[in-house]
Amino acid sequence: MVPWLAHDDPFPPVERALGASSGAPGLLAASADLLPARLIEAYRRGIFPWYSDGQPVLWWSPDPRMVLMPAEFRVSHSLRKTLKHVLGDDAWQVRVDDDFPAVMRACADTPREGQRGTWITADIVDAYTSLHRAGEAHSIETWYEGTRVGGLYGVSFGRMFFGESMFAHRTDASKIALAALVAHLRRHKIEMIDCQQNTSHLASLGGREIARRAFVAHLRAAVEQPPIPWRFDKSVVAELLGPQSG
């Protein structure tokens, strides 16, 4: 039975999440509220919300957990070629936190193969925008000729980044944003990006699954570290390409 959390109830231990043999592996709890304080507590414990309109707030902690180690980010030949082009073309920009709510709305509105609707509800946008105003959530945005054409957003505590969603309205626009984020995190010695659940797209970029206990052990130490700065531009991707990039 999945517990219902009243306003002041703490989360149960993540080990109590439903197992692989259940109909909802990783489901830990449900609640009516999505207050910023609850959201912060969740992330710091390796828990995230994922639900649709008309459902209660559903809280998850899957085992295994999909992660992307910045040191293992896979730059394919085609992506390398794209990044070199972006570096040399002034029409391309990477901006950080230019318009966080707009990035969330773009992630919500972009059609995805095999997916009907979106889990990025109005309440989700409001809650994560509150974290953004507190400096704990960020958007990395790809712009071309003055138009936002791709990007991603996520949550950051200490030396941990939790990726949430990305979108692209131009080929490779989301990958450009991710490459810039990875390079920035490498620069500040961030070892892990939480990707939550396994997808073939993330696996193609170097993502892999690890045991939840290993994820939580890393998380507990990482979130207690000092926060990193959140100002960078497209020039950071040169660090992924090596000395020939210039």
Side-chain angles (χ1 to χ4, degrees):
M1 183 66 126
V2 173
W4 179 266
L5 305 180
H7 180 69
D8 294 322
D9 288 344
F11 284 106
V14 295
E15 293 79 11
R16 295 185 187 174
L18 297 182
S21 62
S22 72
L27 181 58
L28 178 68
S31 70
D33 68 90
L34 188 65
L35 298 175
R38 172 85 79 184
L39 199 52
I40 291 169
E41 180 192 1
Y43 275 97
R44 293 177 70 91
R45 295 186 57 185
I47 303 163
F48 61 89
W50 185 40
Y51 64 101
S52 301
D53 269 328
Q55 292 182 322
V57 181
L58 302 177
W59 300 95
W60 303 78
S61 184
D63 186 14
R65 188 76 164 228
M66 189 71 169
V67 299
L68 174 61
M69 309 299 188
E72 299 174 5
F73 182 63
R74 190 173 300 147
V75 182
S76 66
H77 176 76
S78 61
L79 179 56
R80 179 177 295 272
K81 184 176 178 181
T82 295
L83 294 177
K84 287 183 177 180
H85 177 74
V86 167
L87 283 171
D89 186 346
D90 290 341
W92 288 95
Q93 292 179 296
V94 170
R95 304 182 190 177
V96 179
D97 293 336
D98 185 87
D99 191 339
F100 181 88
V103 172
M104 289 200 69
R105 290 191 294 269
C107 289
D109 295 341
T110 300
R112 303 176 194 277
E113 185 177 352
Q115 179 177 315
R116 298 177 59 188
T118 179
W119 64 274
I120 305 174
T121 65
D123 286 346
I124 287 280
V125 174
D126 288 346
Y128 283 80
T129 299
S130 294
L131 264 61
H132 170 66
R133 287 195 293 265
E136 294 167 336
H138 302 279
S139 60
I140 294 83
E141 310 169 19
T142 305
W143 289 67
Y144 182 72
E145 294 185 342
T147 299
R148 184 187 299 105
V149 293
L152 60 89
Y153 75 94
V155 175
S156 179
F157 293 113
R159 307 190 88 75
M160 186 75 194
F161 188 82
F162 306 83
E164 283 299 314
S165 188
M166 62 178 70
F167 79 98
H169 293 163
R170 188 180 176 94
T171 301
D172 285 343
S174 60
K175 289 183 181 179
I176 294 165
L178 179 59
L181 170 66
V182 166
H184 178 69
L185 297 181
R186 280 191 188 184
R187 178 182 287 179
H188 292 282
K189 298 180 170 46
I190 306 300
E191 297 178 2
M192 184 183 292
I193 300 171
D194 175 29
C195 301
Q196 299 178 352
Q197 300 187 64
N198 195 341
T199 69
S200 58
H201 176 66
L202 289 168
S204 72
L205 295 169
R208 58 184 172 90
E209 292 182 327
I210 63 172
R212 182 175 55 209
R213 65 180 180 276
F215 173 78
V216 171
H218 176 85
L219 172 67
R220 284 174 178 161
V223 298
E224 297 303 328
Q225 298 300 309
I228 66 171
W230 282 94
R231 283 290 173 264
F232 59 93
D233 59 27
K234 70 177 184 180
S235 65
V236 74
V237 303
E239 298 177 20
L240 296 178
L241 303 179
Q244 300 87 2
S245 60

